[in-house]
Amino acid sequence: MEPTPQELLADLYGYDQDAHFATTQLREGLAHRMSPAQLDEFIAAVEATGYPAVDLETATALLDGTR
């Protein structure tokens, strides 16, 4: 079974609640694991926060909001 986007994020972050990833890191880490359209929408949501990097909780919430 294919992992969910949320599972992909958790794997990328290493389940580290304190880690913060910039959009370039997120794009590189998820590029081959999500559809380009979903990835673009997710990155746009991350950029809309105005923060240079987001934590796992924020990234997961943003991803859930883009579905």
Side-chain angles (χ1 to χ4, degrees):
M1 182 153 93
E2 187 103 0
T4 66
Q6 292 80 0
E7 291 170 330
L8 293 173
L9 270 179
D11 185 48
L12 179 65
Y13 276 81
Y15 295 89
D16 183 352
Q17 296 296 320
D18 295 325
H20 285 68
F21 278 35
T23 55
T24 53
Q25 293 169 302
L26 291 168
R27 186 174 290 282
E28 289 171 5
L30 299 171
H32 301 291
R33 304 175 118 193
M34 295 173 80
S35 73
Q38 184 180 22
L39 184 57
D40 288 344
E41 188 175 349
F42 171 61
I43 294 298
V46 171
E47 289 173 342
T49 67
Y51 295 108
V54 293
D55 60 16
L56 176 58
E57 182 179 355
T58 301
T60 301
L62 292 170
L63 182 62
D64 289 343
T66 61
R67 300 172 87 216

